[in-house]
Every structure is written in structure tokens, then in C-alpha cells.
Amino acid sequence: MNWSADSLLTVTFTLFAVIDIFGSIPLLISLKQKMGGIHEARATLISGGLMIVFLFAGEKFLGILGLDVGSFAVGGSIVIFILGLEMVLGIEFFKAEGDSKSGSLVPIAFPLIAGSGTLTTIISLNANYDKWTILAGILVNLLIVYVVLRSLNYIAKLLGQGGLLAVRKFFGVILLAIAVKIFATNVGGLIK
């Protein structure tokens, strides 16, 4: 498991696809409007911290709690499913706390950025790549996440109200599909 540019690219693109920060843009814009703002640096640092903790101690941490990766993934998929429903149906399940600091943690840092899919992927990548390659891939993705979070107002202006609504509905369905896939992949191992 030596470091190479190819393995770094593979890890980076795998995490990029799972984090799917571009797919989350409509939901992030909606959350930002609802909460009156997002602490971009805070959300990026918290999600990065979660990813790094999971890289070095994820399976042990879940074991201490009496959980396995499958249970964690199923729980996270339910939260992602509810967020997807909110986007598609326009019903508010996630109530704004009126505090953008708490919103930066849940649901932005977790489960949107560092969700069960991301954390499970990090644990899975551990089997094929060394920790330092995965860490580098995480850091590259955190930079992208931060730039996207900082650019939400510009992206909202670019899309306009109608474009935002269309993209929000479309990515809501994508989010629902991702949640169903994570659930279906992991629930079989839990039912015995």
C-alpha cells in the first residue's frame, strides 16, 4: 500500500463522488436561507474532523458504542432520505433552530458532508489504501467543500429562483435514491 498519484486520485474522486457537494447545493442554499447563514469554516472543520476521526478510529469507535458500519449507514440513510423528501415535497421536517452554528453541525457537517456514506467509504478505503493517501484525499475534498460553501450566494444568483427550484427537486430525487441505495446495501446484514 504505497503512496502514488494514481491512488491519491482514486481516493480523492471516490470521496468527491460520495460527498457530492455539488448535488447538495440546492439543499445548502435552502438551509442557508432558513437559518440566516452558514458558518462555512465551522462546517468544513467539523466535517473534516469527523472524517479524520473515522479514518483513524472509525471501526473502533462504532464498536465501543456497540454499533457496526451497517447500522451506522442505515441510520444515516434515514436522515438523508428525510432531507430528500423535504427537497422534493417542499415540506419542512428539519426545523431551523434560529442558530446558524447548530445548523453548521447538523445537518450540514453531518450528515450532508460527512454522512454515513462518506464515513463508511473512508472505513472501506482503509482496506485498500494507506491512511496518509486517504488523509490527503480528505483534505483536497475539504478545500472543495469550503469553496462551494463560500460561493452559495453567487450560485443562488446564477441559478435564479426558478432554476433553484428545479435543481432542488431534481437533486432531492437523487438524494432519495442515494438514501435508498445506502439503506438497501446495509439493511440485509442487520436482519437476521
Side-chain angles (χ1 to χ4, degrees):
M1 286 195 268
N2 294 329
W3 184 91
S4 72
D6 287 346
S7 59
L8 177 60
L9 277 175
T10 302
V11 168
T12 301
F13 282 117
T14 301
L15 288 172
F16 181 78
V18 174
I19 293 169
D20 190 25
I21 192 67
F22 290 113
S24 301
I25 285 172
L27 180 58
L28 289 166
I29 290 170
S30 172
L31 290 169
K32 185 171 184 170
Q33 291 167 349
K34 207 186 306 185
M35 295 182 306
I38 293 175
H39 289 268
E40 298 91 354
R42 182 184 173 104
T44 304
L45 289 172
I46 292 170
S47 58
L50 284 170
M51 288 187 238
I52 292 166
V53 164
F54 254 72
L55 172 60
F56 291 100
E59 287 183 72
K60 290 177 188 169
F61 176 70
L62 291 178
I64 290 169
L65 297 175
L67 300 171
D68 57 18
V69 174
S71 302
F72 186 77
V74 167
S77 73
I78 293 168
V79 174
I80 293 168
F81 187 85
I82 291 169
L83 290 169
L85 276 179
E86 185 176 89
M87 290 173 72
V88 172
L89 302 176
I91 299 170
E92 187 176 0
F93 294 109
F94 172 72
K95 303 290 183 198
E97 306 277 327
D99 176 15
S100 59
K101 287 184 181 176
S102 64
S104 295
L105 176 56
V106 176
I108 295 171
F110 178 84
L112 281 182
I113 299 170
S116 60
T118 305
L119 300 178
T120 304
T121 301
I122 288 169
I123 291 173
S124 303
L125 287 170
N126 252 328
N128 298 323
Y129 301 97
D130 67 272
K131 288 187 184 340
W132 303 111
T133 301
I134 299 169
L135 180 62
I138 289 170
L139 295 175
V140 169
N141 276 282
L142 288 174
L143 181 62
I144 295 167
V145 163
Y146 180 73
V147 169
V148 169
L149 290 176
R150 292 286 298 175
S151 305
L152 287 177
N153 289 335
Y154 173 74
I155 294 167
K157 286 178 189 166
L158 191 68
L159 290 175
Q161 207 50 32
L164 207 53
L165 186 62
V167 171
R168 179 177 163 81
K169 300 274 184 203
F170 174 75
F171 280 110
V173 173
I174 299 293
L175 216 54
L176 289 171
I178 290 169
V180 168
K181 183 176 181 181
I182 293 171
F183 185 87
T185 302
N186 292 283
V187 76
L190 302 178
I191 301 171
K192 295 174 184 160

